[in-house]
Amino acid sequence: MPCCRSLASLLLAATLLPCLQAQVPVRDAADLQKQLDRLQTLGSVLYVAAHPDDENTAVLATLSKGRNLRTAYLSITRGGGGQNLIGPELGDGLATIRTQELLAARRLDGAEQFFTSAVDFGFSKTSEESLRLWHHDAVLGDVVRTIRTFRPDVILTRFPPDARAGHGHHTASAILAIEAYQAAADPARYPEQLKAGLRPWRAARLLWNHFRFSDDAPKPAPGSLTLDVGTFDPLLGRSYGELAADSRSQHRSQGFGVLAQRGAREESFELLAGKPAKADLFEGLDLGWSRFPGTAEVAARLREARQGFRPDRPAASLPALLRARQALQALPPALRAEPLVQAKAAELEDLLRAAAGLWVEAIADRQRVAPGDRLTVNAAVLARGGSPLVLESLALEAVTPEGSHTIETRADGRPLPDNAPRKEAFGFTIPATTPLGHPHWLGGPGAAAWAGLPESAPPFRLRARVALPEGSFDTVVPVQFRFRDPVLGERYQPLAVVPVAFVHLDESVQIFEGPGAKEVRLKVIAGAARAAGRVRLQVPSAWQVEPAERTFALTRAGEEGELSFRLTPPAAAASDELRVQVDTGTGFAAARGLVKLDHPHIPLQTLLAEARARLERFDLKHNGHRIGYVMGAGDDIPQALRRLGYEVDLLSDEALAREDLARFDAIVLGIRAFNTRPALQTLKERLHAYVAAGGTEVVLYTVNTGFPGINAAMVTETIGPYPFKVGRKRVTDETAPVRLLQPGHPVFHRPNELTAKDFEGWVQERSLYHAEGWDGRYTPLLGMADPGEAEDQGALILAQHGKGHYVYTGLAFFRQLPDGVPGATRLFANLLALGHAHD
């Protein structure tokens, strides 16, 4: 575990993470003035909740931008267990997207972002389950570490520690906050953190921020504190409520775009622990520099800079800011190590750059690079503030979990001309020991050193040192790739360090429907300028691979080579795993694949997970091969069906309106189609006519939240040929017993004979958003319930309509089929074959 200084510095670096992984932001004069005001304030607040999008952005924006407090959000999970409204990514991919959405939100509301190691495993109905699966003691330690490092004056929770929270994760997040509030102050708890240099810390108070989803929500309890989050800020030209709406709307994967609220609006807070207060969250707390004895000179110099600030000439404040920096550096080491003082020092460095009108960039000549490659970095320094700045030096640095080291330093010493860039090109070879660019929280390098941070540090950075007569200061920027997007214009992407060669398996799940062998195809892709070596497949002994290995030779980065192996399954049913190994000259090691997550509202994300595939050997029959698929929010079911031998056509609105639907054996409407495809409001009638003529329509879950303006509304309330409603019932325990309500129904017998075993091995959850209040012409087929709850029968309902069949199901096929779960796959094949039930 890193020492406290290192750990504290890394966590404090979250203040500048937007600058570490994205281009350093340009601040206008109003923002500079607000930053100067912020330097005068030394209070801090930590907000705690369970997921990305749980945070109250109005509170964060008001405290950060309005009260000038150091504000942070601790999200217990990264949200990988949820659904995705903007694409097919789930699990680690979704968690990566939601991490970046949180960072985008924080860039707007001004707060910082932290996480624990807890994994979002999907909806939970109890805090007991959540804390058990999160590994309570470990996650509590993460929260304690964050509190001891961040040292907040006040801690806020989004949820109460009981069933009112509405989700086991929500309740558990509040329980952890309450426990951590006490444990962080107790030197006997998590003593290893103290040995590493952290100190016990007790916040002044812990409060629950009441949630109010509508104006008619219950009023807060007597004695609650309030905060107006609708205040208008003339420097921003908007209210904190308006700013909060933009921040919250960054959670695009969850459909959380919201309307701005204008006018006064109160948030209320109920004391859970600590010192009571009568009027203000920070009552009785010293929020100025006077809280730290010996800092009067720092405070005086910062006041001088603020009083002399000229919006039309920010650079005139540089001498006073440099004097304040000198006063900070003259403080005793123990005082300089205080987290709030460190945070102010980082803010001051950023303010120096911004007031000087400095633009510093370091642009790589490509987005991906491999160890051993030669990389060119084009550096540019541009002074636009009108001050007599001198460029003392430029230094290119490598960053690893162990620290940083200089690759090359170039002394300069010449004045920077006003508004004319000084350019330098650095060329160097990527060291063989450079860590690969896989996120630390997914098992990549830096899992311990960067624990709690949203993302890993960039692998390389540029340090520009500039000077005035009053002193010098550094501006540090990441090495990035810049390109022109024909629609979005200038875009920056993080530089990714990738393997010399990486592997893409055609299928991440290999399904064998019988004992016969099949071909496993993969691509070897050069990450380096040249890549040659061997590839082999690792499988359990019951499986046979031919040949034992294959060779490849690639002569340029990005070149692909296709390889195939013949894989023979065991005679009996089996569930196993295949792993790919590659040798590029240093011996066989686990091969890695490359996944790019490219969405316009977040930076490009590169994942380098191990190249592996799930192996499933089970008996499967299917009648009917031509499937039409109406994509909703996005899922991987079409690809899952194609690997089973189905022909799948993705149907546009125009195709639904004009083409002959009778050519399809079944038409499937993907998850949330009735939330995301407005044309279905009218096209549903054409689908029902297709059913009446003998077709099969299978509708996967849609969402009817019950909270106006949150998530997504259904485009129509009548989605079936006969009435039913979409409710909020769900079964979160993937092992929950399932009862066949109509054991003789063809859906359980043709073409696959289903048994209780087919409901084993499901992943994450059974079912969600069940049907309720259905018309008598529907037949419920399955009964199920979470432990301790009454059976619900709305997970799968079916109606005969004319000559065909209509199905609505909340069963989590969108998780099961891409994962190759045998029983779920066999059941879905039976649903698609309903039109052939008597064949």
Side-chain angles (χ1 to χ4, degrees), residues 15-16 27 31-43 64-65 67-70 287-292 295-307 309 317-318 320-325 328 340-355:
T15 315
L16 300 178
R27 300 191 185 279
D31 194 8
L32 286 174
Q33 182 171 316
K34 289 193 72 66
Q35 290 301 105
L36 278 166
D37 290 337
R38 185 181 177 92
L39 281 172
Q40 320 298 319
T41 306
L42 277 82
S64 174
K65 298 287 190 179
R67 298 286 294 270
N68 295 320
L69 297 162
R70 188 184 181 207
L287 302 182
W289 282 96
S290 55
R291 73 187 290 167
F292 294 120
T295 60
E297 179 67 14
V298 177
R301 299 288 72 80
L302 290 174
R303 283 196 302 272
E304 174 190 357
R306 175 64 182 89
Q307 291 164 2
F309 179 70
S317 297
L318 284 173
L321 289 171
L322 283 167
R323 286 192 289 270
R325 183 173 182 266
L328 261 175
L340 270 175
V341 176
Q342 285 187 327
K344 293 303 165 184
E347 291 173 14
L348 180 55
E349 293 292 326
D350 181 55
L351 192 55
L352 284 164
R353 175 202 57 78

Side-chain angles (χ1 to χ4, degrees), residues 17 20-21 397-400 450 456-461 477-479 495:
L17 269 172
L20 291 177
Q21 295 289 6
E397 300 174 345
V399 183
T400 69
W450 295 325
S456 307
F460 304 102
R461 66 191 185 194
V477 297
V479 174
L495 177 68

Side-chain angles (χ1 to χ4, degrees), residues 740-803:
L740 307 186
L741 303 177
Q742 302 288 334
H745 196 284
V747 79
F748 301 125
H749 300 282
R750 302 189 183 94
N752 298 288
E753 189 70 32
L754 302 184
T755 67
K757 189 174 179 59
D758 287 293
F759 294 96
E760 297 176 2
W762 288 45
V763 296
Q764 186 159 320
E765 57 194 336
R766 278 277 190 230
S767 190
L768 62 169
Y769 299 106
H770 289 189
E772 62 185 26
W774 53 82
D775 184 277
R777 285 167 285 191
Y778 289 101
T779 300
L781 295 173
L782 297 176
M784 61 184 71
D786 278 321
E789 295 186 357
E791 181 181 81
D792 187 86
Q793 300 183 355
L796 177 62
I797 63 171
L798 181 149
Q800 184 85 31
H801 179 56
K803 299 179 181 179

